[in-house]
Amino acid sequence: MRVIEKSQLMSATEIDRTLQRLAHEIVEKSGGTTNLALIGIRRRGVPLAERVARAMRGIDGVEVPVGTLDITLYRDDLSKVAPQPVLQSSDIPFSVDDKDLILVDDVLYTGRTVRAAMNGLFDLGRPRTIRLCVLIDRGHRELPIEASFTGRTVQTSDTEIIEVRLEEVDEEERVMLVERVD
Amino acid sequence: MLLIKNGRVLDPASGTDAAMDVLLDAGRVAKIAPEISAPSAEVLDARGWIVAPGFIDLHCHLREPGDENSETIATGARAAVRGGFTAVCCMPNTQPVNDNASVTRAILERAAAADQARVWPIGAASAGSKGESLAEIAAMKQAGIVAVSDDGRPIASANLLRQVMDYCRALGLTVVDHCEDASLAAGAVMREGPTSARLGLRGMPAAAESVCVARDVQTAGLTGCPLHIAHLSARASLDLVRAAKRDGLAVTCEVTPHHFTLIDEDVRYDTRYKMNPPLGSREDRQALLNGLADGTVDAIATDHAPHELALKDVEFDRAPFGIIGFETALALALEQIVHSGRIPLMRLVELFTTGPARVLGRERRLAEGAPADLTLFSTNHAWTFHAEESASKSRNSPFDGRSFRGAPMATIVGGRVVYKR
Amino acid sequence: MKKNASCSSNAWTDSRRRSRTALAPQSFEDAVPQRLPHILGIEPLSAEQILFLLDQSKPFQEIQSHPLKKLATLRGKTVALAFFEPSTRTRISFSTAAARLGADTMNLQAEASSLRKGESLLDTVRTLDAMKPDCLVMRHSSAGAPEFVAGRLDIPIINAGDGAHEHPTQGLLDALTIRDRRGTLEGWNVAILGDILHSRVARSDIHLLGKFGCRFTLCGPAMWVPRELESIGPPGCAIRRVARIEEALDGADIVIVLRVQQERMHEPALPLDDYILLYQLTPQRLRLARPDALVLHPGPMNRGVEIDPAVADGPQSCVLEQVTNGLAVRMALLFLLIGTGGGEAAQEIPRAKDVADAAH
């Protein structure tokens, strides 16, 4: 099975600008940042969450704690036996009780990842609220889940894939639309 | 009449090693000469083959009566001729044990009906091989046993061994012992050593065998009865036999092909590597090879021990001991000791013919007037052994899939070609 | 002619060391090894694989401190537990591990099984298999039994102890305990005390720590510490035997105390008082070891026999962590063997460069 690149959706500059904008939106719509915390969903949600936190620091001087969440243990796709699942550890160095959490991920698609993330968060305690921030929403939801903060909405077909490539992980910075070719 | 042409005759008894034709008639060897013409005879072209006296296997298990799922006398005797054996000595650990004349006769009847290899039964030393009282050895001798043993187990005590030996000496029978000290060997499933330590399997030391060999040799010295050590596997045991021979005692021994081919390091948890005595150490194997060359070892015997698949297809601890061996014996001997240059071909033939015969107090020769039991083999025929194709009912061989150079090509019993490859 | 009957992790390659094309930048985090087929022993695993397993156990250690310890990760999966040898602790540990991952368990206990009636291991296991578990955890008194079963069933097998051969999860949890306490597995002086000849725990520990350059001193009654044990470690591994416990403890970083097993067959028993006199790990004797030496015991302990209660309960004793780590290791193994997922939920489709990697 092969994939071919179709088009570039966002350049490095566009990604940066979007994250800045999202950071502003979050600060605006949160009515205060005291209880706020960002949780990046592994893998690419993590650098995104860190960048949003950095941007927020730039806005208000505000320090919002960032945690990372590995959702492998909370997946529900029992039918799909992938190659060896590999666990990364979650690292949330603060209590989630009564916090207003912002889940951060690169792409929102079926919603299953976010559901798994919420399961993981509720295993840790009782957050006050959970909202979702994503760089790209590509539609095709299978669960009643929506993002409160969206970078860009893109229409896609089932054979297409959105690849978010970030410096920290992929050593390049852009968002690509690629297509699966059998 | 059968005329075997163009073969190379090897007869240890006379020392003959020459290109000769052999004419067989009425179950005997009629003539041996460089060029024989016999227009009315059926011709067997033995070009490129060795023509030897018929091979004897001193040690095998035919399982009938009692375990006919694993082997019958018919299937065993068939497998034997496919291995080039014209006569095989079957051990008495059947069910019931061959400890009386009627079982002996039943075995002989079956063998006659099968009409493949000759079967020479070995009778039990003690009743039921239980090690308590003597079996009906004289009656069995009359019925046709050729030696006495409690194989499967050692003869239970030094005192019993002495009594058996005194009795057998008078009857002119050799006592064959499976040398194993029960307490040292108890619960063991392989040879004790680094491999058993690593695998976590219980092992028996070489001393389990040699301690008993020492006992037997001393008792042979006490009684003057011929003693034959079955399936000798350890260097220490061989040293004892060598010393006994030097001292003029009538002690002989046999070695199996698996003991001179494989070692304990070859064992993993595959039950096709589980037998008793277990595969020895590297040093033991080397000593056995030396003993085969220097004459300390008198015979190669297979200890053919069939077990049906269901019995062997269990966890290692629970599997019964033993592997089949008729059809791979010659090829392994050629591979390990002839092709490697360790011994001359004549010596190999001795180990399969005059050696075993002498243990039983008989002769075996390819001479005019002798019975027409011959083994014809090639030293370079290329073939692969597949256990599935064995004539035995069982498949328990670690040599499944092994390729060889050299094989039995035809086996003649009583002047009749009972097997041709 | 050696037949390779091993079906353990030889099939498992560490993809970090696979060659890659120049098509895309490399990323270690994308490395996804092929799925582990079985855990039959420590011996066939490489040091990298062992570290991977220990790393994968960490999240499960962490979960033990959550208020809610139960996950749904293995919901719908069934773990069969076939313990042909009595064992309470290991069985409960595996059972709990499965339950905390949301899996169902299927329990076979030897006492109740038809094995007593002469049903073969193969038949017993096939009966279990017909009920379609996702994996089998088995303990058996015959060395090689899990390997025997692995060759005949289609599901992953975890060896929970086979005769005197191996107890891989014990090896892993011991290693995890040591690494947590001392930061590394490399180069320790390890003393193992007791009946090493019959100990699968000792063998697994030697195989594992031996791969990290540890040195071993084996000490116990002579008939239980034969010379062959000096060669069971990986090539180049230094193993020596000493007769006196004082010598064994001198300079030891890690002391592994084995249980004295009273159920010995085929050999005359050793009087317990003799054993205590010569080999009990007392506080005085422990002082001969390094001051921060760790004391491990696979359990259950015979307090007052092989180990003085003061040592068992003392600060150097790791026995309780061993139990917790046992749970974490077993959860990790169950997850790794039968857990699913491993990429984006909807993206079973690998990334462009993952395809290039997977092509190798």
Side-chain angles (χ1 to χ4, degrees):
Chain A
M1 198 228 23
R2 299 177 304 122
V3 290
I4 55 166
E5 298 188 352
K6 282 178 81 173
S7 62
Q8 174 170 305
L9 297 176
M10 291 174 80
S11 68
T13 332
E14 287 168 313
I15 292 174
D16 185 53
R17 243 189 270 133
T18 307
L19 291 174
Q20 294 291 333
R21 193 244 308 157
L22 287 170
H24 273 94
E25 269 185 46
I26 294 171
V27 171
E28 253 178 58
K29 294 188 183 165
S30 297
T33 53
T34 18
N35 272 335
L36 217 51
L38 296 169
I39 308 275
I41 300 178
R42 280 201 184 273
R43 284 172 48 196
R44 289 172 180 79
V46 175
L48 290 175
E50 283 164 359
R51 293 197 208 176
V52 169
R54 222 175 6 253
M56 287 166 82
R57 208 179 302 134
I59 296 169
D60 253 359
V62 105
E63 277 297 334
V64 175
V66 179
T68 65
L69 182 65
D70 179 67
I71 54 144
T72 317
L73 290 177
Y74 299 96
R75 310 202 62 84
D76 69 351
D77 39 356
L78 299 171
S79 58
K80 301 181 175 72
V81 182
Q84 185 71 75
V86 173
L87 288 175
Q88 314 285 336
S89 33
S90 301
D91 184 17
I92 301 179
F94 48 84
S95 165
V96 303
D97 289 340
D98 285 325
K99 286 271 193 308
D100 296 311
L101 301 179
I102 313 269
L103 273 172
V104 182
D105 206 3
D106 56 341
V107 178
L108 174 58
Y109 186 24
T110 60
R112 292 188 183 276
T113 301
V114 174
R115 187 209 66 84
M118 287 200 283
N119 269 33
L121 291 175
F122 277 106
D123 260 13
L124 294 170
R126 295 210 67 219
R128 196 160 76 113
T129 62
I130 303 180
R131 286 174 296 165
L132 177 64
C133 168
V134 294
L135 189 64
I136 308 276
D137 179 344
R138 63 171 290 196
H140 299 279
R141 216 75 76 235
E142 290 171 7
L143 299 174
I145 285 179
E146 287 311 320
S148 307
F149 309 99
T150 307
R152 197 183 284 201
T153 304
V154 177
Q155 297 299 331
T156 59
S157 74
D158 276 322
T159 57
E160 289 171 330
I161 304 163
I162 308 252
E163 274 192 20
V164 174
R165 299 181 192 164
L166 304 173
E167 274 299 333
E168 298 93 325
V169 179
D170 308 285
E171 287 166 31
E172 62 169 332
E173 184 92 356
R174 51 189 178 146
V175 180
M176 296 300 299
L177 180 69
V178 310
E179 176 133 36
R180 182 176 46 182
V181 170
D182 281 310
Chain B
M1 288 223 293
L2 177 65
L3 177 58
I4 302 168
K5 283 197 81 55
N6 305 317
R8 173 181 164 200
V9 167
L10 275 178
D11 177 42
S14 61
T16 308
D17 177 356
M20 298 279 199
D21 289 354
V22 180
L23 182 64
L24 308 178
D25 189 16
R28 301 230 154 233
V29 174
K31 187 168 174 174
I32 304 176
E35 275 289 332
I36 300 178
S37 160
S40 58
E42 190 194 326
V43 174
L44 176 56
D45 187 3
R47 186 176 308 276
W49 299 354
I50 309 292
V51 177
F55 287 2
I56 300 170
D57 186 0
L58 279 175
H59 191 147
C60 72
H61 299 270
L62 298 181
R63 304 298 183 213
E64 186 179 357
D67 184 13
E68 288 84 354
N69 281 342
S70 297
E71 194 82 283
T72 62
I73 292 171
T75 57
R78 176 80 198 139
V81 295
R82 290 180 96 233
F85 293 100
T86 58
V88 301
C89 303
C90 59
M91 283 298 181
N93 59 339
T94 46
Q95 294 145 38
V97 168
N98 181 14
D99 64 359
N100 65 77
S102 68
V103 178
T104 306
R105 276 193 290 271
I107 292 172
L108 288 166
E109 273 161 36
R110 281 273 192 285
D115 199 19
Q116 296 289 302
R118 298 183 199 277
V119 174
W120 296 343
I122 294 183
S126 63
S129 283
K130 288 208 186 103
E132 289 158 12
S133 57
L134 266 64
E136 296 173 12
I137 298 176
M140 286 194 288
K141 171 143 202 251
Q142 252 183 14
I145 61 170
V146 298
V148 151
S149 179
D150 273 343
D151 185 66
R153 358 193 136 117
I155 293 180
S157 67
N159 186 48
L160 177 67
L161 179 62
R162 180 197 194 169
Q163 315 247 341
V164 169
M165 280 186 150
D166 278 336
Y167 196 51
C168 285
R169 178 165 176 259
L171 291 170
L173 284 171
T174 303
V175 173
V176 180
D177 204 15
H178 162 124
C179 287
E180 180 185 324
D181 179 275
S183 65
L184 283 175
V189 297
M190 65 174 290
R191 173 63 73 82
E192 184 183 278
T195 309
S196 69
R198 196 169 38 83
L199 295 180
L201 290 172
R202 195 183 174 97
M204 66 174 93
E209 179 183 276
S210 57
V211 152
C212 187
V213 172
R215 174 197 84 166
D216 285 15
V217 165
Q218 298 281 307
T219 313
L222 189 59
T223 60
C225 176
L227 165 70
H228 179 71
I229 310 290
H231 45 49
L232 188 147
S233 72
R235 181 177 60 177
S237 309
L238 199 63
D239 289 344
L240 288 166
V241 170
R242 197 177 275 118
K245 287 186 174 193
R246 213 169 32 224
D247 291 343
L249 294 178
V251 174
T252 55
C253 69
E254 74 198 21
V255 168
T256 70
H258 47 273
H259 283 110
F260 64 66
T261 307
L262 304 171
I263 56 174
D264 61 347
E265 290 169 31
D266 297 319
V267 176
R268 176 79 198 169
Y269 295 109
D270 186 339
T271 59
R272 296 173 309 172
Y273 290 78
K274 180 177 180 183
M275 67 285 287
N276 194 9
L279 298 172
S281 69
R282 212 171 270 276
E283 294 70 31
D284 288 320
R285 175 175 171 263
Q286 196 50 58
L288 296 181
L289 292 168
N290 295 342
L292 285 160
D294 73 15
T296 310
V297 176
D298 301 90
I300 294 175
T302 64
D303 196 4
H304 174 91
H307 291 291
E308 59 169 327
L309 184 63
L311 292 176
K312 275 291 218 184
D313 194 21
V314 294
E315 53 279 29
F316 200 85
D317 279 342
R318 277 187 58 192
F321 294 104
I323 61 170
I324 55 174
F326 284 139
E327 287 148 301
T328 47
L330 173 61
L332 286 167
L334 286 168
E335 177 190 281
Q336 298 288 320
I337 49 182
V338 174
H339 291 319
S340 58
R342 277 196 170 90
I343 66 170
L345 208 45
M346 182 67 88
R347 170 82 186 126
L348 179 85
V349 175
E350 267 175 40
L351 287 162
F352 280 110
T353 59
T354 51
R358 221 182 13 247
V359 168
L360 301 175
R362 300 176 170 218
E363 293 193 337
R364 180 119 288 206
R365 52 205 172 96
L366 218 188
E368 289 171 14
D373 285 1
L374 285 80
T375 301
L376 279 58
F377 66 93
S378 155
T379 56
N380 50 30
H381 174 80
W383 65 293
T384 303
F385 174 67
H386 294 294
E388 265 163 45
E389 294 166 8
S390 169
S392 164
K393 272 184 147 186
S394 296
R395 301 283 170 261
N396 48 321
S397 169
F399 305 112
D400 187 23
R402 192 176 180 115
S403 294
F404 293 107
R405 199 162 55 93
M409 302 305 285
T411 310
I412 299 170
V413 176
R416 188 170 70 91
V417 178
V418 290
Y419 168 68
K420 190 157 180 297
R421 185 170 286 269
Chain C
M1 184 185 102
K2 191 177 275 220
K3 184 186 180 228
N4 182 12
S6 166
C7 330
S8 57
S9 318
N10 294 327
W12 188 40
T13 57
D14 181 353
S15 69
R16 289 178 190 220
R17 290 192 259 109
R18 284 190 304 206
S19 65
R20 296 163 179 248
T21 62
L23 243 176
Q26 326 253 292
S27 169
F28 278 140
E29 284 179 87
D30 279 344
V32 176
Q34 288 171 291
R35 187 174 288 268
L36 266 170
H38 303 289
I39 302 281
L40 299 180
I42 298 289
E43 195 184 350
L45 301 176
S46 70
E48 287 79 17
Q49 290 170 334
I50 290 168
L51 291 175
F52 174 76
L53 293 174
L54 296 181
D55 289 339
Q56 294 295 291
S57 302
K58 289 246 136 259
F60 295 102
Q61 275 178 320
E62 208 248 323
I63 281 171
Q64 309 307 332
S65 56
H66 288 188
L68 200 64
K69 301 182 203 347
K70 196 175 162 81
L71 297 166
T73 317
L74 295 185
R75 184 169 41 108
K77 303 278 183 179
T78 308
V79 175
L81 301 170
F83 279 66
F84 297 92
E85 233 188 22
S87 153
T88 319
R89 304 153 50 98
T90 308
R91 188 164 47 79
I92 288 182
S93 184
F94 270 107
S95 194
T96 308
R100 288 206 177 154
L101 287 168
D104 297 318
T105 53
M106 211 186 263
N107 249 291
L108 172 83
Q109 263 141 279
E111 296 74 37
S113 86
S114 28
L115 210 57
R116 298 272 147 184
K117 300 180 210 137
E119 190 185 357
S120 72
L121 170 62
L122 196 55
D123 283 334
T124 307
V125 160
R126 282 201 176 125
T127 308
L128 265 182
D129 186 50
M131 299 190 272
K132 295 281 156 257
D134 294 281
C135 78
L136 173 64
V137 177
M138 72 178 275
R139 167 173 286 198
H140 199 281
S141 55
S142 282
E147 195 166 313
F148 173 78
V149 171
R152 289 160 178 78
L153 293 188
D154 225 353
I155 54 176
I157 315 274
I158 299 181
N159 177 11
D162 63 330
H165 178 229
E166 286 233 40
H167 191 356
T169 57
Q170 183 73 42
L172 288 167
L173 74 89
D174 286 348
L176 189 59
T177 306
I178 293 167
R179 193 171 76 155
D180 280 353
R181 278 250 199 161
R182 303 299 290 274
T184 175
L185 297 174
E186 308 261 352
W188 299 118
N189 275 329
V190 181
I192 306 185
L193 310 175
D195 178 0
I196 297 154
L197 179 61
H198 298 101
S199 169
R200 53 186 168 226
V201 171
R203 282 171 179 76
S204 289
D205 283 339
I206 290 173
H207 286 312
L208 195 155
L209 296 171
K211 291 179 207 280
F212 294 92
C214 293
R215 297 184 293 287
F216 298 90
T217 303
L218 309 180
C219 176
M223 56 281 190
W224 297 340
V225 192
R227 187 149 38 116
E228 291 83 64
L229 292 176
E230 287 174 4
S231 53
I232 61 174
C237 176
I239 302 178
R240 63 175 186 142
R241 299 172 303 144
V242 302
R244 295 176 55 247
I245 190 177
E246 291 80 5
E247 235 185 297
L249 292 171
D250 183 27
D253 299 297
I254 295 171
V255 183
I256 299 176
V257 184
L258 299 176
R259 203 174 118 71
V260 173
Q261 304 192 58
Q262 264 106 313
E263 340 64 76
R264 287 264 145 271
M265 297 205 312
H266 307 299
E267 35 220 303
L270 181 71
L272 274 180
D273 285 342
D274 254 31
Y275 187 88
I276 293 168
L277 179 68
L278 290 177
Y279 299 108
Q280 184 184 75
L281 184 62
T282 61
Q284 296 78 3
R285 285 171 170 165
L286 183 56
R287 257 177 254 135
L288 296 166
R290 293 260 164 79
D292 53 353
L294 301 178
V295 175
L296 275 71
H297 189 304
M301 297 186 282
N302 292 316
R303 286 160 170 274
V305 180
E306 69 266 7
I307 188 167
D308 185 311
V311 173
D313 301 328
Q316 291 168 267
S317 163
C318 303
V319 293
L320 293 176
E321 289 138 77
Q322 284 176 282
V323 174
T324 322
N325 291 338
L327 192 50
V329 159
R330 289 163 183 142
M331 287 176 80
L333 291 179
L334 287 174
F335 171 72
L336 290 169
L337 259 62
I338 61 176
T340 55
E344 265 291 299
Q347 296 203 123
E348 290 318 315
I349 311 128
R351 295 178 163 243
K353 51 187 175 354
D354 288 356
V355 174
D357 294 343
H360 284 267

